[in-house]
């Protein structure tokens, strides 16, 4: 009997551990609703969740709960539904942050989510309904992404995965990142389907949710003129242009990015503090 009780306790403990690791969004915000907004970080194409490491480190040091979502990069609507499910599992207000294609994702994911109080676009697309990432990147001259792409990887269903050629990744994507780090980023890059970049946006949450923008003036993926256009169109609360910064400004200038996210979060908290 004692042996059975010990086994039961052991299996119960294993179950608790499994639950903790299988539900990262809920685990990050378990218990009572947080007093500060939860920050959900959504990476874009050719990046992955670790690109937020330094931003997340800084936000956690400021007592924010942070979830770095693993954006599937399979299709805009399906990716947005995935992020929306994470947002829906979080109690309390959320600041939704997107990089590059991740901006399209957060703008769609926030639709109908009343707990999303602010959007932060990090060198990111903010499409109008019906616009795609391809439409916006081609709206102004300056993107040099096309020639740096490797031959597409054809998937079993016929879809095509896109990668940046590893030897061209640093100059194209992360020109202001230390070469050794940029090389690792090239190796660990996540592919996006060609279809996802061409898929029309189903909604545009930036029309109703306050938005902040930050981008580098040496972005080679999305022309800075396109980023400025989107920020102005969204009537951004604040737009920061970082001199000399590449497309991965969250990796190369994490303090500037986290500072803007904190400003957005503070704006969420402010109304509750007023009498």
């Amino acid at each position: 009997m004692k042996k059975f009780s010990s086994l039961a306790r052991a299996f119960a403990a294993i179950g608790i551990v499994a639950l903790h690791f299988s539900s990262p969004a809920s685990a990050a915000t378990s218990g009572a609703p947080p007093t500060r907004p939860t920050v959900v970080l959504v990476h874009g194409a050719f990046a992955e969740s670790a690109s937020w490491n330094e931003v997340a480190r800084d936000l956690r040091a400021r007592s924010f709960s942070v979830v770095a979502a693993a954006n599937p990069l399979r299709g805009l609507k399906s990716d947005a539904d995935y992020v929306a499910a994470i947002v829906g599992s979080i109690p309390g207000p959320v600041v939704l942050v997107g990089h590059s294609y991740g901006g399209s994702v957060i703008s769609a994911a926030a639709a109908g989510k009343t707990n999303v109080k602010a959007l932060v676009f990090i060198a990111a697309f903010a499409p109008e309904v019906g616009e795609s990432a391809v439409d916006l990147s081609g709206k102004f001259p300056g993107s040099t992404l096309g020639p740096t792409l490797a031959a597409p990887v054809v998937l079993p269903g016929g879809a095509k995965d896109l990668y940046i050629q590893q030897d061209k990744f640093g100059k194209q994507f992360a020109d202001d990142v230390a070469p050794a780090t940029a090389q690792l980023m090239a190796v660990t890059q996540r592919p996006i389907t060609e279809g996802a970049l061409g898929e029309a946006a189903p909604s545009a949450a930036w029309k109703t949710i306050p938005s902040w923008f930050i981008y580098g003036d040496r972005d080679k993926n999305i022309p800075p003129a396109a980023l400025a256009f989107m920020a102005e169109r969204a009537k951004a609360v604040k737009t920061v242009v970082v001199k000399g910064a590449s497309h991965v400004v969250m990796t190369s200038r994490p303090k500037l990015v986290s500072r803007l996210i904190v400003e957005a979060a503070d704006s969420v908290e402010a109304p509750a503090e007023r009498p």
Side-chain angles (χ1 to χ4, degrees), residues 130-209:
E131 284 181 335
S132 70
V134 169
D135 294 334
L136 286 164
S137 62
K139 193 176 184 70
F140 297 88
S143 176
T144 56
L145 175 63
T148 71
L149 294 176
V153 176
V154 181
L155 303 175
K160 296 178 180 178
D161 259 353
L162 302 179
Y163 293 84
I164 297 176
Q165 297 173 56
Q166 290 190 17
D167 62 344
K168 296 180 179 177
F169 187 96
K171 287 290 185 184
Q172 174 61 35
F173 200 72
D175 202 23
D176 59 342
V177 175
T181 300
Q183 288 166 11
L184 287 175
M185 292 171 68
V187 171
T188 60
Q189 66 177 292
R190 292 272 307 284
I192 187 167
T193 64
E194 188 176 59
L197 292 176
E199 187 175 336
S203 53
W206 51 263
K207 289 185 172 183
T208 56
I209 300 174

Side-chain angles (χ1 to χ4, degrees), residues 78-104:
S78 62
D79 294 342
D81 289 346
Y82 175 87
V83 171
I86 293 175
V87 170
S89 76
I90 297 172
V94 167
V95 173
L96 202 46
V97 183
H99 170 245
S100 193
Y101 164 80
S104 299

